[in-house]
C-alpha cells in the first residue's frame, strides 16, 4: 500500500444560529498525503471510507462547543464526521481486522483513523463491525439500515405502535427523507388499517411517496396543510419533522388523545423556529408529544432491538423501499451536506467515496 | 317546603376568543320563584346547592357550540354549570334520596334540577353520592377533594410518578391554583427528594406556597423565569399551567428526557396564546409532553383510582393543605368566575351558596 492522496472535508467555521452553512465558508476541501503502511494508529483502526451519510441533524452539531448536546459539536479545523460505512485497512484493536466492514461515526476523508484525535471523541463516537449482505449496497447501511431507519424503527416501536393499533390516521410531514419514508412504509406494514397522509415539497417526492404506499399525498408549498388535514383528519398520530406553522396546522386537526412525535426541525435548523400558537390544545385534547433521539434513552435502545434482522428482511423482500441521491467523492461532500439542509434532495443523500 | 326565591346566574352571550368574560354582558343574575314541593322533576333529582366550584377551564366552555370539546359549551339562556356540591331535596331517581350529599355537574342557582333540560346534557354531566366527612367542609369537595385535586392526583400517578423517582427538580408555574398547589404538596409527599421550584404572581401566593413546602418560590411578574430556572435547573419535570413565554423559558432549561405536563393555559384562555419558539428542543432533548384532562382517558381514569381514600386521609393529617377564597351566594358567582380568569385569587375560589 503506497502513499496515496487523502481528500478531506474540514469544518472551518460555525454558521450563526440563523444561517445556512456554505461551501468555502464553513467547510474547506483539502488534499493531503497519507502513507497507509506507516501512518501511526496507536490503539486505533485505519478505515477506508466507502459511504458517508448526510443527515439534517448534522446542523445541530455545527455550533459553538459551549452549547451542550448529546451529539458533540463538529470540531473546527478537523474533518466533518458522521455516520459512515468503511472497510478496515489496518487495525491495532483486537476486535477489528483488515477487510471487516464497519459502521460508525467516522470522518469525511478517504482514510479515517478511529477514534482519532481528542477533538473527535464525541459522546456517541462508536465503531462496530457488521456482516454486509452481498445483495445490499453499502450505502443502504447509512440509510434504511443505518441511523435514519433505526431512529424511525426504534421510535415507532417505543412510542407509536400501541397507539397505532387503535388509530385511524397518521400524518407525516416532509415525509420524503430517510426517517419519514421509513415511517410511512413501516406504518403501512405493521398497521395496514392506518390512513397515511404525507406531505413533501416537490412532485418527484410525492411520486416516490405514492410509490411507497401513501394514501394521501400533497405538496405543502402549493397546498394548505391545515385544509388537507381538516378534510382527511382528525389526525391520531402526527410525525413531525418540521415544527412551526406545519405543527400548528397539525395541532388544530389532532384528535383527542393524539400522539405527536417530534423527529426533526426543518423549520428551525437554519433559522429561528416560527412560533407555535396552538400548543394549548395539548391540554384541551389531552395530547402527548414525544421528542426522539436515537440510542441514548432506555426507550429508544429497547425499541431498536431486532432492527437489523427485521429490516434487512423487509428490505430484501421489497416491503421497505428506498431512494437515494448519490454524491461522489469527498469533493462533493459539502454540497451533499448543504443540499440536505435546504431539502433539495430526492430520497436519502449519500456520499459514495469508494466502491470497495 | 314553601315557594322560595331561586337565584340563578344565566349565561347570556359568548365572549369572543380574545376577550375576558364580563358581568352583565356574558352573565346575567336573575331571581325566580320555585315551588320546591310541586316543581316537576320527571326521572330527575332536585338538589339544593351548597357550594359551586369556579375553575379556570370554564373559559373553554364559553364558546360557540359548533366548536367541539369534551366538556360541552355553556348554553346561552341557561344557568352556568360546573362541578358543585349539593344536598338532595327530592328525588325521582332510585339511587338518590333526600338528604344525600351529591357531587357533580350542577347549575349555578339555589336549587338545581339534575339532569335538567337537553341544553345541559353535557358529555360529562354526572351526579354521584358521597359520604361527606363530618370534619371536612363541603367546599373542600370542589377543591382538594374535587376536580382540581383529582386532576392533579390522576395525572401525577398516570404520567409523573415513575419519572419523579429518577428526577431531581420539578418546576410548577402559576402554582397557587387548585391543581398546582396540590401537585406541589403531593410531589413533596411522594418524592421528598425532589427540589420544587414554583412561581406565582403575588407575595401572598408565594407565602402560601412556601407554607406548602416549596423549596424555591419566585414572582413571575418581577423575576425572569428563565433566569431562575437556569440557576436552579436543569428541570426534569415541568408542570405547565401557562404556556407562551413561560413554556419557552421552561423548554430552554429542561434536562434531557424531561417531562412536561400541560395542565392549563393561563396565557391563552382569554387571549391568543403567545407563540412558543423553543418547541424544537422537544426533539433535541428527547422531551415528552403530555396534556391532561380529567376522567376521559384510560390513563387518567386509572390514575384517579384510590383518590378519595388517600387524599381524604392526607388532608385530615395536614399533609395536603389548601387555601380558599370564598364568594357568597349566586349574586357573587359571576365575580368569582371572572376573578378566576384574571387569576386575582389566593387559593381555590369557591362559591358558598348555603350552609346546609
Amino acid at each position: 500500500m503506497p502513499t496515496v492522496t487523502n481528500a478531506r472535508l474540514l469544518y472551518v467555521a460555525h454558521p450563526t444560529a440563523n444561517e445556512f452553512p456554505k461551501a468555502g465558508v464553513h467547510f474547506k476541501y483539502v488534499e493531503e498525503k497519507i502513507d497507509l503502511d506507516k501512518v501511526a494508529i496507536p490503539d486505533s483502526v485505519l478505515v477506508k471510507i466507502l459511504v458517508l451519510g448526510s443527515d439534517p441533524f448534522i446542523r445541530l452539531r455545527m455550533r459553538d462547543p459551549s452549547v451542550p448536546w448529546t451529539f458533540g459539536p463538529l470540531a473546527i479545523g478537523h474533518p466533518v464526521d458522521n455516520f459512515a460505512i468503511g472497510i478496515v485497512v489496518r487495525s491495532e484493536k483486537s476486535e477489528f481486522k483488515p477487510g471487516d466492514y464497519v459502521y460508525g461515526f467516522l470522518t469525511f476523508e478517504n482514510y479515517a483513523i478511529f477514534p482519532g484525535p481528542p477533538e473527535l471523541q464525541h459522546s456517541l463516537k462508536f465503531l462496530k463491525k457488521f456482516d454486509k449482505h452481498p445483495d445490499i449496497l453499502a450505502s443502504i447501511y447509512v440509510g434504511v439500515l443505518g441511523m435514519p431507519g433505526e431512529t424511525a424503527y426504534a421510535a415507532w416501536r417505543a412510542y407509536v405502535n400501541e397507539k397505532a393499533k387503535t388509530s385511524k390516521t397518521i400524518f407525516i410531514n416532509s415525509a420524503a427523507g430517510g426517517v419519514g419514508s421509513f415511517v410511512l412504509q413501516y406504518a403501512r406494514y405493521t398497521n395496514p388499517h392506518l390512513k397515511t397522509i404525507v406531505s413533501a415539497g416537490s412532485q418527484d417526492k410525492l411520486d416516490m411517496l405514492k410509490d411507497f404506499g401513501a394514501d394521501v399525498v400533497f405538496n405543502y408549498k402549493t397546498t394548505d396543510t391545515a385544509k388537507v388535514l381538516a378534510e382527511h383528519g382528525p389526525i391520531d398520530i402526527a410525525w413531525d419533522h418540521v415544527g412551526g406553522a406545519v405543527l400548528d396546522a397539525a395541532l388544530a386537526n389532532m384528535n383527542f388523545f393524539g400522539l405527536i412525535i417530534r423527529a426533526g426541525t426543518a423549520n428551525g435548523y437554519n433559522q429561528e423556529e416560527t412560533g407555535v400558537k396552538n400548543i394549548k390544545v395539548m391540554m384541551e385534547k389531552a395530547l402527548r408529544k414525544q421528542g426522539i433521539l436515537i440510542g441514548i434513552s432506555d426507550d429508544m435502545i429497547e425499541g431498536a432491538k431486532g432492527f437489523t434482522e427485521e429490516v434487512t428482511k423487509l428490505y430484501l423482500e421489497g416491503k421497505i423501499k428506498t431512494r437515494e441521491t448519490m454524491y461522489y467523492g469527498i469533493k462533493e461532500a459539502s454540497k451533499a451536506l448543504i443540499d440536505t439542509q435546504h431539502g433539495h434532495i430526492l430520497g436519502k443523500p449519500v456520499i459514495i467515496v469508494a466502491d470497495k
Side-chain angles (χ1 to χ4, degrees), chain A residues 46 86-90 96-102 129-130 356:
Chain A
L46 178 64
I87 195 159
V88 173
V89 177
R90 281 169 52 208
F96 298 99
K97 60 176 201 306
D100 286 345
Y101 279 98
V102 288
K129 281 199 293 190
F130 69 101
K356 169 130 193 197

Side-chain angles (χ1 to χ4, degrees), chain A residues 32-198:
Chain A
E32 296 175 7
K33 295 287 173 192
I34 186 169
D35 184 328
L36 299 177
D37 293 316
K38 292 188 183 154
V39 61
I41 53 166
D43 195 31
S44 300
V45 182
L46 178 64
V47 178
K48 181 180 184 183
I49 298 294
L50 300 181
V51 184
L52 296 164
S54 176
D55 302 295
F57 91 100
I58 295 182
R59 182 62 180 84
L60 297 174
R61 301 184 57 220
M62 299 180 194
R63 67 177 192 276
D64 190 282
S66 67
V67 181
W69 196 47
T70 40
F71 287 78
L74 295 184
I76 296 277
H78 290 271
V80 174
D81 64 344
N82 190 30
F83 295 95
I85 298 297
I87 195 159
V88 173
V89 177
R90 281 169 52 208
S91 173
E92 290 196 3
K93 281 186 175 294
S94 58
E95 61 269 42
F96 298 99
K97 60 176 201 306
D100 286 345
Y101 279 98
V102 288
Y103 171 66
F105 249 56
L106 291 165
T107 36
F108 276 45
E109 49 194 332
N110 291 109
Y111 294 92
I113 293 169
F114 180 90
E119 293 84 352
L120 298 175
Q121 309 305 313
H122 305 296
S123 52
L124 282 186
K125 199 161 172 72
F126 70 97
L127 196 69
K128 63 180 183 186
K129 281 199 293 190
F130 69 101
D131 290 323
K132 183 180 162 305
H133 192 286
D135 298 338
I136 299 179
L137 289 174
S139 58
I140 300 301
Y141 290 92
V142 295
V144 175
L145 285 169
M147 185 277 287
E150 190 174 359
T151 300
Y153 178 90
W156 184 274
R157 298 197 341 142
Y159 303 120
V160 187
N161 199 46
E162 274 307 301
K163 170 76 182 166
K165 289 177 187 166
T166 57
S167 294
K168 284 187 182 168
T169 304
I170 183 171
F171 167 53
I172 309 164
N173 61 46
S174 289
V179 173
S181 62
F182 184 99
V183 169
L184 165 64
Q185 297 177 85
Y186 197 67
R188 289 203 61 79
Y189 169 68
T190 55
N191 293 273
H193 70 280
L194 273 183
K195 179 177 175 181
T196 52
I197 306 170
V198 304

Side-chain angles (χ1 to χ4, degrees), chain A residues 214-265:
Chain A
D215 296 307
V216 178
V217 304
F218 68 97
N219 187 325
Y220 64 78
K221 291 179 180 169
T222 58
T223 314
D224 180 0
T225 297
K227 218 166 155 182
V228 175
L229 299 185
E231 183 186 342
H232 293 282
I235 307 302
D236 299 299
I237 303 166
W239 189 291
D240 178 24
H241 296 109
V242 181
V246 172
L247 178 55
D248 264 333
L251 284 165
N253 290 286
M254 291 298 290
N255 205 351
F256 281 85
F257 316 129
L259 171 66
I260 303 168
I261 297 293
R262 182 64 181 253
T265 306

